[in-house]
Coordinates of all heavy atoms in Angstrom, one line a residue:
M1 N -25.2 -8.3 23.3 CA -23.8 -8.1 23.1 C -23.0 -9.3 23.6 O -23.3 -9.8 24.7 CB -23.4 -6.8 23.9 CG -22.0 -6.4 23.7 SD -21.6 -4.9 24.6 CE -20.3 -4.3 23.7
I2 N -22.1 -9.7 22.8 CA -21.2 -10.9 23.2 C -20.0 -10.4 23.9 O -19.3 -9.5 23.5 CB -20.8 -11.7 21.9 CG1 -22.0 -12.1 21.2 CG2 -19.9 -12.8 22.3 CD1 -21.7 -12.8 19.8
K3 N -19.7 -11.0 25.0 CA -18.5 -10.7 25.8 C -17.5 -11.8 25.6 O -17.8 -13.0 25.6 CB -18.9 -10.6 27.3 CG -19.7 -9.4 27.6 CD -19.9 -9.2 29.1 CE -20.7 -7.9 29.4 NZ -20.8 -7.6 30.8
Y4 N -16.3 -11.4 25.3 CA -15.2 -12.3 25.1 C -14.3 -12.3 26.3 O -14.2 -11.3 27.0 CB -14.4 -11.9 23.9 CG -15.2 -12.0 22.6 CD1 -15.7 -10.9 22.0 CD2 -15.4 -13.2 22.0 CE1 -16.5 -10.9 20.9 CE2 -16.2 -13.3 20.8 CZ -16.7 -12.2 20.3 OH -17.4 -12.2 19.1
S5 N -13.7 -13.4 26.5 CA -12.7 -13.5 27.6 C -11.5 -12.6 27.4 O -11.2 -12.3 26.2 CB -12.3 -14.9 27.9 OG -11.3 -15.3 26.9
T6 N -10.9 -12.2 28.4 CA -9.7 -11.3 28.3 C -8.6 -11.9 27.5 O -8.0 -11.3 26.7 CB -9.2 -10.9 29.7 OG1 -10.3 -10.3 30.4 CG2 -8.2 -9.8 29.6
N7 N -8.4 -13.2 27.7 CA -7.3 -13.9 27.0 C -7.6 -13.9 25.5 O -6.6 -13.7 24.7 CB -7.2 -15.4 27.5 CG -6.5 -15.5 28.8 OD1 -5.9 -14.5 29.3 ND2 -6.7 -16.6 29.5
I8 N -8.8 -14.2 25.0 CA -9.1 -14.2 23.6 C -8.9 -12.8 23.0 O -8.3 -12.7 22.0 CB -10.5 -14.7 23.3 CG1 -10.7 -16.2 23.7 CG2 -10.9 -14.5 21.9 CD1 -12.1 -16.7 23.6
T9 N -9.3 -11.8 23.7 CA -9.1 -10.4 23.2 C -7.7 -10.1 23.1 O -7.2 -9.5 22.1 CB -9.8 -9.4 24.2 OG1 -11.2 -9.8 24.3 CG2 -9.7 -8.0 23.7
K10 N -6.9 -10.4 24.1 CA -5.4 -10.1 24.1 C -4.8 -10.9 23.0 O -3.9 -10.4 22.3 CB -4.8 -10.4 25.4 CG -5.2 -9.4 26.5 CD -4.5 -9.7 27.8 CE -4.9 -8.6 28.8 NZ -4.2 -8.7 30.0
E11 N -5.1 -12.2 22.8 CA -4.6 -13.0 21.7 C -4.9 -12.4 20.3 O -4.1 -12.3 19.4 CB -5.1 -14.4 21.8 CG -4.4 -15.2 22.9 CD -5.0 -16.6 23.0 OE1 -5.4 -17.2 21.9 OE2 -5.1 -17.2 24.1
F12 N -6.1 -11.9 20.2 CA -6.6 -11.3 19.0 C -5.8 -10.0 18.7 O -5.3 -9.8 17.6 CB -8.1 -11.0 19.0 CG -8.5 -10.2 17.8 CD1 -8.6 -10.9 16.5 CD2 -8.8 -8.9 17.8 CE1 -9.0 -10.2 15.4 CE2 -9.2 -8.2 16.7 CZ -9.3 -8.9 15.5
E13 N -5.6 -9.2 19.8 CA -4.9 -7.9 19.6 C -3.4 -8.2 19.2 O -2.8 -7.6 18.4 CB -4.9 -7.1 20.9 CG -6.3 -6.5 21.2 CD -6.3 -5.8 22.5 OE1 -5.3 -5.9 23.3 OE2 -7.4 -5.2 22.8
K14 N -2.8 -9.2 19.9 CA -1.4 -9.6 19.6 C -1.3 -10.1 18.1 O -0.4 -9.6 17.4 CB -1.0 -10.7 20.5 CG 0.5 -11.1 20.3 CD 0.9 -12.2 21.3 CE 2.3 -12.7 21.0 NZ 2.7 -13.8 21.8
S15 N -2.2 -10.9 17.7 CA -2.2 -11.4 16.3 C -2.4 -10.3 15.3 O -1.7 -10.2 14.3 CB -3.3 -12.5 16.1 OG -3.4 -12.9 14.8
L16 N -3.3 -9.4 15.6 CA -3.6 -8.3 14.7 C -2.3 -7.4 14.6 O -2.0 -6.9 13.6 CB -4.8 -7.5 15.2 CG -5.2 -6.2 14.4 CD1 -5.6 -6.7 13.0 CD2 -6.3 -5.5 15.1
M17 N -1.7 -7.1 15.8 CA -0.5 -6.3 15.8 C 0.6 -6.9 15.0 O 1.3 -6.2 14.2 CB -0.1 -6.0 17.2 CG 1.1 -5.0 17.3 SD 0.6 -3.4 16.6 CE 0.2 -2.6 18.1
E18 N 0.8 -8.2 15.1 CA 1.8 -8.9 14.4 C 1.6 -8.8 12.9 O 2.5 -8.6 12.1 CB 1.9 -10.4 14.8 CG 2.5 -10.6 16.2 CD 2.5 -12.0 16.6 OE1 1.9 -12.9 15.9 OE2 3.0 -12.3 17.7
S19 N 0.3 -8.9 12.5 CA -0.1 -8.8 11.1 C 0.2 -7.4 10.5 O 0.7 -7.3 9.4 CB -1.6 -9.1 10.9 OG -1.8 -10.5 11.2
V20 N -0.1 -6.4 11.3 CA 0.2 -5.0 10.9 C 1.7 -4.8 10.7 O 2.1 -4.2 9.8 CB -0.5 -4.0 11.9 CG1 0.0 -2.6 11.6 CG2 -2.0 -4.1 11.8
V21 N 2.5 -5.3 11.7 CA 3.9 -5.1 11.6 C 4.5 -5.8 10.4 O 5.3 -5.3 9.7 CB 4.6 -5.6 12.9 CG1 6.1 -5.7 12.8 CG2 4.2 -4.7 14.1
N22 N 4.0 -7.0 10.1 CA 4.5 -7.8 9.0 C 4.1 -7.1 7.7 O 4.9 -7.0 6.7 CB 3.9 -9.2 9.0 CG 4.5 -10.1 10.0 OD1 5.6 -9.8 10.5 ND2 3.8 -11.1 10.4
L23 N 2.9 -6.5 7.6 CA 2.4 -5.8 6.4 C 3.3 -4.6 6.2 O 3.7 -4.3 5.1 CB 1.0 -5.4 6.6 CG 0.3 -4.7 5.4 CD1 0.3 -5.6 4.2 CD2 -1.1 -4.3 5.8
I24 N 3.6 -3.8 7.2 CA 4.4 -2.6 7.1 C 5.8 -3.0 6.7 O 6.4 -2.4 5.8 CB 4.4 -1.8 8.4 CG1 3.0 -1.2 8.7 CG2 5.5 -0.7 8.4 CD1 2.8 -0.5 10.0
S25 N 6.4 -4.0 7.3 CA 7.7 -4.5 7.0 C 7.8 -4.9 5.5 O 8.7 -4.6 4.8 CB 8.1 -5.7 7.9 OG 8.2 -5.2 9.2
S26 N 6.8 -5.6 5.1 CA 6.7 -6.1 3.7 C 6.7 -4.9 2.7 O 7.4 -4.8 1.7 CB 5.5 -6.9 3.5 OG 5.4 -7.3 2.1
A27 N 5.9 -3.9 3.1 CA 5.8 -2.7 2.2 C 7.1 -1.9 2.2 O 7.5 -1.5 1.1 CB 4.7 -1.7 2.7
I28 N 7.8 -1.9 3.3 CA 9.1 -1.2 3.3 C 10.1 -2.0 2.5 O 10.9 -1.4 1.7 CB 9.6 -1.1 4.8 CG1 8.8 0.0 5.5 CG2 11.1 -0.7 4.8 CD1 9.0 0.0 7.0
D29 N 10.1 -3.3 2.6 CA 11.0 -4.1 1.8 C 10.8 -4.0 0.3 O 11.7 -3.9 -0.5 CB 10.9 -5.6 2.2 CG 11.5 -5.9 3.5 OD1 12.3 -5.0 4.0 OD2 11.2 -6.9 4.1
K30 N 9.5 -3.9 -0.1 CA 9.1 -3.8 -1.5 C 9.6 -2.4 -2.0 O 10.1 -2.3 -3.1 CB 7.6 -3.9 -1.7 CG 7.1 -5.3 -1.6 CD 5.7 -5.4 -1.8 CE 5.2 -6.9 -1.6 NZ 3.7 -7.0 -1.7
N31 N 9.5 -1.4 -1.2 CA 10.0 -0.1 -1.6 C 11.5 -0.1 -1.8 O 12.0 0.6 -2.7 CB 9.6 0.9 -0.5 CG 8.8 2.1 -1.0 OD1 8.6 2.2 -2.2 ND2 8.5 3.0 -0.1
K32 N 12.2 -0.8 -0.9 CA 13.6 -0.9 -1.1 C 14.0 -1.6 -2.4 O 15.0 -1.3 -3.0 CB 14.3 -1.6 0.1 CG 14.3 -0.7 1.4 CD 14.9 -1.5 2.5 CE 14.9 -0.6 3.8 NZ 15.3 -1.4 4.9
L33 N 13.2 -2.7 -2.7 CA 13.5 -3.4 -3.9 C 13.2 -2.6 -5.1 O 13.9 -2.8 -6.1 CB 12.7 -4.7 -3.9 CG 13.0 -5.8 -2.8 CD1 12.0 -6.9 -2.9 CD2 14.4 -6.3 -3.1
Y34 N 12.2 -1.8 -5.1 CA 11.9 -1.0 -6.3 C 12.6 0.4 -6.1 O 12.0 1.4 -5.7 CB 10.5 -0.8 -6.5 CG 10.2 0.0 -7.7 CD1 10.5 -0.5 -9.0 CD2 9.8 1.3 -7.6 CE1 10.3 0.2 -10.1 CE2 9.6 2.1 -8.8 CZ 9.8 1.5 -10.0 OH 9.6 2.3 -11.1
S35 N 13.9 0.4 -6.4 CA 14.6 1.6 -6.3 C 15.4 1.7 -7.6 O 16.5 1.1 -7.8 CB 15.6 1.6 -5.1 OG 16.3 2.8 -5.0
P36 N 14.8 2.3 -8.7 CA 15.4 2.2 -10.0 C 16.8 2.7 -10.1 O 17.1 3.7 -9.4 CB 14.4 3.0 -10.9 CG 13.7 3.9 -9.9 CD 13.6 3.2 -8.6
E37 N 17.6 2.1 -10.9 CA 19.0 2.6 -11.1 C 19.0 3.9 -11.9 O 19.8 4.8 -11.7 CB 19.8 1.5 -11.9 CG 21.1 1.9 -12.3 CD 22.1 2.4 -11.3 OE1 21.9 1.9 -10.1 OE2 23.0 3.2 -11.5
W38 N 18.1 4.0 -12.9 CA 18.0 5.2 -13.8 C 16.9 6.1 -13.3 O 15.7 5.7 -13.2 CB 17.8 4.7 -15.2 CG 19.0 4.0 -15.7 CD1 19.3 2.7 -15.7 CD2 20.2 4.6 -16.4 NE1 20.5 2.4 -16.2 CE2 21.1 3.6 -16.7 CE3 20.5 5.9 -16.7 CZ2 22.3 3.8 -17.3 CZ3 21.7 6.2 -17.3 CH2 22.6 5.1 -17.6
L39 N 17.2 7.3 -13.1 CA 16.3 8.3 -12.5 C 16.0 9.4 -13.5 O 16.9 9.8 -14.3 CB 16.9 8.9 -11.2 CG 17.4 8.0 -10.1 CD1 18.2 8.7 -9.1 CD2 16.2 7.3 -9.5
S40 N 14.8 10.0 -13.4 CA 14.5 11.2 -14.1 C 15.4 12.3 -13.6 O 15.9 12.2 -12.5 CB 13.0 11.6 -14.0 OG 12.8 12.0 -12.7
L41 N 15.5 13.4 -14.3 CA 16.3 14.5 -13.8 C 15.8 15.1 -12.5 O 16.6 15.4 -11.6 CB 16.4 15.6 -14.8 CG 17.1 15.3 -16.2 CD1 17.2 16.5 -17.1 CD2 18.5 14.6 -15.9
M42 N 14.5 15.1 -12.3 CA 13.9 15.7 -11.1 C 14.2 14.7 -9.9 O 14.6 15.2 -8.9 CB 12.4 15.8 -11.3 CG 11.7 16.5 -10.1 SD 12.2 18.2 -9.9 CE 11.3 18.9 -11.3
N43 N 14.0 13.4 -10.2 CA 14.3 12.5 -9.1 C 15.8 12.4 -8.8 O 16.3 12.2 -7.7 CB 13.8 11.1 -9.4 CG 12.3 11.0 -9.3 OD1 11.7 11.8 -8.5 ND2 11.6 10.1 -10.0
A44 N 16.6 12.5 -9.9 CA 18.1 12.5 -9.7 C 18.5 13.7 -8.8 O 19.4 13.6 -8.0 CB 18.8 12.6 -11.1
A45 N 17.9 14.9 -9.0 CA 18.2 16.0 -8.2 C 17.9 15.8 -6.8 O 18.7 16.1 -5.8 CB 17.5 17.3 -8.7
K46 N 16.7 15.1 -6.5 CA 16.4 14.8 -5.1 C 17.4 13.8 -4.6 O 17.8 13.9 -3.4 CB 15.0 14.2 -5.1 CG 13.9 15.2 -5.4 CD 12.5 14.5 -5.4 CE 11.4 15.5 -5.8 NZ 10.1 14.9 -6.0
Y47 N 17.8 12.8 -5.4 CA 18.7 11.8 -4.9 C 20.0 12.5 -4.5 O 20.6 12.1 -3.5 CB 18.9 10.8 -6.0 CG 20.0 9.7 -5.7 CD1 19.7 8.7 -4.8 CD2 21.3 9.8 -6.3 CE1 20.7 7.7 -4.5 CE2 22.3 8.9 -6.0 CZ 22.0 7.9 -5.1 OH 22.9 6.9 -4.8
A48 N 20.5 13.5 -5.3 CA 21.7 14.2 -5.0 C 21.6 15.2 -3.9 O 22.6 15.7 -3.4 CB 22.2 14.9 -6.3
G49 N 20.3 15.5 -3.6 CA 20.1 16.4 -2.5 C 20.3 17.9 -2.9 O 20.7 18.7 -2.1
V50 N 20.0 18.2 -4.2 CA 20.1 19.5 -4.7 C 18.9 19.9 -5.4 O 18.0 19.1 -5.7 CB 21.4 19.7 -5.6 CG1 22.6 19.4 -4.8 CG2 21.2 18.8 -6.8
S51 N 18.7 21.2 -5.7 CA 17.6 21.7 -6.5 C 17.8 21.2 -8.0 O 18.9 20.9 -8.4 CB 17.5 23.2 -6.5 OG 18.6 23.8 -7.2
Y52 N 16.7 21.3 -8.7 CA 16.7 20.9 -10.1 C 17.7 21.8 -10.9 O 18.5 21.4 -11.7 CB 15.3 21.0 -10.7 CG 15.2 20.7 -12.2 CD1 15.2 19.4 -12.6 CD2 15.2 21.7 -13.1 CE1 15.2 19.0 -13.9 CE2 15.2 21.4 -14.5 CZ 15.1 20.1 -14.9 OH 15.1 19.7 -16.2
N53 N 17.6 23.1 -10.6 CA 18.5 24.1 -11.3 C 20.0 23.8 -11.0 O 20.8 23.8 -11.9 CB 18.2 25.5 -10.9 CG 16.9 26.0 -11.5 OD1 16.5 25.5 -12.5 ND2 16.3 27.0 -10.8
T54 N 20.3 23.4 -9.8 CA 21.7 23.0 -9.4 C 22.1 21.8 -10.2 O 23.2 21.6 -10.7 CB 21.9 22.9 -7.9 OG1 21.6 24.1 -7.3 CG2 23.3 22.4 -7.5
F55 N 21.2 20.8 -10.3 CA 21.4 19.6 -11.0 C 21.7 19.8 -12.4 O 22.6 19.2 -13.0 CB 20.3 18.6 -10.8 CG 20.6 17.2 -11.2 CD1 21.4 16.4 -10.3 CD2 20.3 16.7 -12.4 CE1 21.7 15.1 -10.7 CE2 20.6 15.4 -12.8 CZ 21.3 14.6 -11.9
I56 N 21.0 20.8 -13.0 CA 21.3 21.1 -14.4 C 22.7 21.7 -14.6 O 23.5 21.4 -15.5 CB 20.3 22.1 -15.0 CG1 18.9 21.5 -15.0 CG2 20.6 22.6 -16.4 CD1 18.8 20.2 -15.7
K57 N 23.2 22.5 -13.5 CA 24.5 23.0 -13.5 C 25.5 21.8 -13.5 O 26.6 21.9 -14.1 CB 24.8 23.9 -12.3 CG 24.0 25.2 -12.5 CD 24.2 26.1 -11.2 CE 23.4 27.3 -11.3 NZ 23.5 28.1 -10.0
F58 N 25.2 20.8 -12.7 CA 26.0 19.6 -12.7 C 26.2 19.0 -14.1 O 27.3 18.5 -14.4 CB 25.5 18.5 -11.7 CG 25.5 18.9 -10.3 CD1 25.0 18.0 -9.3 CD2 26.2 20.0 -9.8 CE1 25.0 18.3 -8.0 CE2 26.3 20.3 -8.4 CZ 25.7 19.4 -7.5
R59 N 25.2 19.0 -14.9 CA 25.3 18.5 -16.3 C 26.3 19.3 -17.0 O 27.1 18.7 -17.8 CB 23.9 18.6 -17.0 CG 22.9 17.6 -16.5 CD 21.7 17.7 -17.4 NE 22.0 17.2 -18.8 CZ 21.2 17.3 -19.8 NH1 20.1 17.9 -19.7 NH2 21.6 16.8 -21.0
H60 N 26.3 20.6 -16.9 CA 27.3 21.5 -17.6 C 28.7 21.3 -17.0 O 29.6 21.6 -17.7 CB 26.9 22.9 -17.5 CG 25.5 23.2 -18.1 ND1 25.3 23.1 -19.5 CD2 24.3 23.6 -17.6 CE1 24.1 23.4 -19.8 NE2 23.5 23.7 -18.6
M61 N 28.8 20.7 -15.8 CA 30.1 20.5 -15.2 C 30.6 19.1 -15.6 O 31.7 18.7 -15.1 CB 30.0 20.6 -13.7 CG 29.7 22.0 -13.2 SD 29.4 22.1 -11.4 CE 30.9 21.4 -10.8
G62 N 29.8 18.3 -16.3 CA 30.3 17.0 -16.8 C 29.5 15.8 -16.3 O 29.9 14.6 -16.6
L63 N 28.4 16.0 -15.6 CA 27.6 14.8 -15.2 C 27.0 14.2 -16.5 O 26.4 15.0 -17.3 CB 26.5 15.3 -14.3 CG 25.5 14.3 -13.8 CD1 26.1 13.3 -12.8 CD2 24.3 14.9 -13.2
K64 N 27.1 12.9 -16.6 CA 26.6 12.3 -17.8 C 25.2 11.9 -17.7 O 24.7 11.4 -16.7 CB 27.4 11.0 -18.1 CG 28.9 11.2 -18.4 CD 29.6 9.9 -18.6 CE 31.1 10.2 -18.7 NZ 31.9 8.9 -18.7
V65 N 24.4 12.3 -18.7 CA 23.0 12.1 -18.8 C 22.7 11.3 -20.0 O 23.2 11.6 -21.1 CB 22.2 13.4 -18.8 CG1 20.7 13.1 -19.0 CG2 22.4 14.2 -17.5
C66 N 21.9 10.2 -19.9 CA 21.4 9.4 -21.0 C 20.2 10.1 -21.6 O 19.2 10.4 -20.9 CB 21.2 8.0 -20.6 SG 20.5 7.0 -21.9
E67 N 20.1 10.3 -22.9 CA 18.9 10.8 -23.6 C 18.6 9.9 -24.8 O 19.4 9.8 -25.7 CB 19.2 12.3 -24.0 CG 17.9 12.9 -24.6 CD 18.0 14.3 -24.9 OE1 19.1 15.0 -24.6 OE2 17.1 14.9 -25.5
I68 N 17.4 9.4 -24.7 CA 16.9 8.6 -25.8 C 15.5 9.1 -26.2 O 14.6 9.1 -25.4 CB 16.8 7.1 -25.4 CG1 18.1 6.5 -25.0 CG2 16.2 6.2 -26.5 CD1 18.1 5.2 -24.4
D69 N 15.4 9.5 -27.4 CA 14.2 10.1 -28.0 C 13.6 11.1 -27.1 O 12.4 11.1 -26.8 CB 13.2 8.9 -28.2 CG 12.1 9.3 -29.2 OD1 12.3 10.2 -30.0 OD2 11.0 8.6 -29.1
G70 N 14.4 12.0 -26.5 CA 14.0 13.1 -25.7 C 13.8 12.8 -24.2 O 13.5 13.7 -23.4
I71 N 13.9 11.5 -23.9 CA 13.8 11.1 -22.5 C 15.1 11.1 -21.8 O 16.0 10.4 -22.3 CB 13.1 9.7 -22.4 CG1 11.7 9.8 -23.0 CG2 13.0 9.2 -20.9 CD1 11.0 8.5 -23.1
K72 N 15.3 11.8 -20.8 CA 16.6 11.9 -20.1 C 16.6 11.1 -18.8 O 15.6 11.2 -18.0 CB 16.9 13.4 -19.8 CG 17.0 14.2 -21.0 CD 17.2 15.7 -20.7 CE 17.3 16.6 -21.9 NZ 16.0 17.0 -22.3
R73 N 17.6 10.3 -18.6 CA 17.8 9.6 -17.3 C 19.2 9.7 -16.9 O 20.1 9.8 -17.7 CB 17.4 8.1 -17.5 CG 15.9 7.9 -17.8 CD 15.1 8.2 -16.6 NE 13.7 8.0 -16.8 CZ 12.8 8.9 -17.2 NH1 13.2 10.1 -17.4 NH2 11.5 8.6 -17.4
V74 N 19.4 9.5 -15.6 CA 20.8 9.5 -15.0 C 20.9 8.3 -14.1 O 19.9 8.1 -13.3 CB 21.0 10.8 -14.2 CG1 22.4 10.9 -13.7 CG2 20.7 12.1 -15.0
S75 N 22.0 7.7 -14.2 CA 22.1 6.5 -13.3 C 22.6 7.0 -11.9 O 23.3 8.0 -11.8 CB 23.1 5.5 -13.9 OG 24.5 5.9 -13.7
R76 N 22.2 6.2 -10.9 CA 22.6 6.5 -9.5 C 24.2 6.4 -9.4 O 24.8 7.2 -8.7 CB 22.0 5.6 -8.5 CG 20.5 5.8 -8.4 CD 19.9 4.7 -7.5 NE 18.5 4.8 -7.4 CZ 17.9 5.4 -6.4 NH1 18.5 6.1 -5.5 NH2 16.6 5.5 -6.4
K77 N 24.7 5.5 -10.1 CA 26.2 5.3 -10.1 C 26.9 6.5 -10.6 O 27.9 7.0 -10.1 CB 26.6 4.1 -10.9 CG 26.2 2.8 -10.2 CD 26.6 1.6 -11.1 CE 26.0 0.3 -10.5 NZ 26.3 -0.8 -11.4
E78 N 26.3 7.1 -11.7 CA 26.9 8.3 -12.3 C 26.8 9.5 -11.3 O 27.8 10.3 -11.2 CB 26.2 8.7 -13.6 CG 26.6 10.0 -14.2 CD 28.1 10.1 -14.6 OE1 28.8 9.1 -14.6 OE2 28.6 11.2 -14.8
I79 N 25.7 9.6 -10.7 CA 25.6 10.7 -9.7 C 26.6 10.5 -8.6 O 27.3 11.5 -8.2 CB 24.1 10.8 -9.1 CG1 23.1 11.1 -10.2 CG2 24.0 11.8 -8.0 CD1 21.7 10.8 -9.9
D80 N 26.7 9.3 -8.0 CA 27.7 9.0 -7.0 C 29.1 9.3 -7.5 O 29.9 9.9 -6.7 CB 27.5 7.6 -6.5 CG 26.2 7.3 -5.8 OD1 25.5 8.3 -5.4 OD2 25.8 6.1 -5.7
R81 N 29.4 8.9 -8.7 CA 30.7 9.1 -9.2 C 31.0 10.6 -9.3 O 32.1 11.1 -8.9 CB 30.9 8.5 -10.6 CG 32.3 8.7 -11.3 CD 32.2 8.6 -12.8 NE 31.4 9.7 -13.4 CZ 31.8 10.9 -13.6 NH1 32.9 11.4 -13.2 NH2 31.0 11.8 -14.2
F82 N 30.0 11.4 -9.9 CA 30.2 12.8 -10.1 C 30.4 13.5 -8.8 O 31.3 14.4 -8.6 CB 29.0 13.4 -10.8 CG 29.1 14.8 -11.0 CD1 29.8 15.4 -12.1 CD2 28.4 15.7 -10.2 CE1 29.9 16.7 -12.3 CE2 28.5 17.1 -10.3 CZ 29.2 17.6 -11.4
L83 N 29.6 13.2 -7.8 CA 29.7 13.8 -6.5 C 31.1 13.5 -5.8 O 31.7 14.4 -5.2 CB 28.6 13.5 -5.6 CG 27.2 14.0 -6.0 CD1 26.1 13.4 -5.1 CD2 27.2 15.5 -6.0
E84 N 31.5 12.2 -5.9 CA 32.7 11.8 -5.4 C 33.9 12.5 -6.1 O 34.8 13.0 -5.4 CB 32.9 10.3 -5.5 CG 34.1 9.7 -4.7 CD 34.0 9.8 -3.2 OE1 32.9 9.7 -2.7 OE2 35.0 10.1 -2.6
E85 N 33.8 12.6 -7.4 CA 34.9 13.2 -8.2 C 35.0 14.7 -7.8 O 36.1 15.3 -7.9 CB 34.6 13.0 -9.6 CG 35.7 13.5 -10.6 CD 35.3 13.2 -12.0 OE1 35.4 12.0 -12.4 OE2 34.9 14.1 -12.7
N86 N 33.9 15.3 -7.5 CA 34.0 16.8 -7.2 C 34.0 17.1 -5.7 O 33.8 18.2 -5.3 CB 32.7 17.5 -7.8 CG 32.9 17.5 -9.3 OD1 33.6 18.4 -9.8 ND2 32.3 16.6 -10.0
S87 N 34.3 16.1 -4.9 CA 34.5 16.3 -3.5 C 35.9 16.7 -3.2 O 36.8 16.3 -3.9 CB 34.1 15.0 -2.7 OG 32.8 14.7 -2.9
F88 N 36.1 17.4 -2.1 CA 37.5 17.8 -1.7 C 37.5 17.8 -0.2 O 36.6 17.8 0.5 CB 38.0 19.1 -2.3 CG 37.1 20.3 -2.1 CD1 37.3 21.1 -1.0 CD2 36.0 20.5 -2.9 CE1 36.4 22.2 -0.8 CE2 35.2 21.6 -2.7 CZ 35.4 22.5 -1.6

């Protein structure tokens, strides 16, 4: 068994910890960068903080939804606008 000096072990631990922190920070930044503007109805409901059924009610109340060839998407800006417009 090879024994390493305490300094080398501590330097290695420090370097390893810095690498892990950088990796986690990078993953968090990439997640922030990939935040699509157009959301599926399910993800849009999550974004708005309501159930899917409530979100469908929002559509009937005037929330604009884009539909192309059966695919429905809602922009984050539209959700924000709708919620702001219906706030009191």
Side-chain angles (χ1 to χ4, degrees):
M1 181 178 209
I2 301 172
K3 292 188 177 183
Y4 297 100
S5 75
T6 307
N7 284 344
I8 292 175
T9 303
K10 287 183 180 184
E11 286 178 31
F12 176 74
E13 287 174 356
K14 181 180 176 185
S15 176
L16 181 61
M17 187 59 98
E18 287 174 359
S19 295
V20 169
V21 168
N22 288 337
L23 183 62
I24 291 170
S25 295
S26 176
I28 290 170
D29 288 343
K30 286 179 184 174
N31 235 359
K32 286 180 183 173
L33 290 176
Y34 181 71
S35 183
E37 170 62 25
W38 291 89
L39 305 169
S40 68
L41 297 184
M42 188 66 75
N43 287 336
K46 289 178 185 176
Y47 175 77
V50 298
S51 71
Y52 179 80
N53 288 337
T54 298
F55 195 77
I56 297 305
K57 289 177 187 176
F58 288 175
R59 286 188 69 190
H60 297 294
M61 294 172 60
L63 177 74
K64 296 177 186 173
V65 175
C66 174
E67 183 173 355
I68 301 172
D69 200 23
I71 298 170
K72 298 176 183 84
R73 294 292 182 264
V74 183
S75 77
R76 290 175 186 267
K77 291 177 186 174
E78 172 61 13
I79 296 167
D80 293 340
R81 181 206 61 79
F82 178 82
L83 292 173
E84 188 67 34
E85 187 176 281
N86 287 281
S87 297
F88 55 92

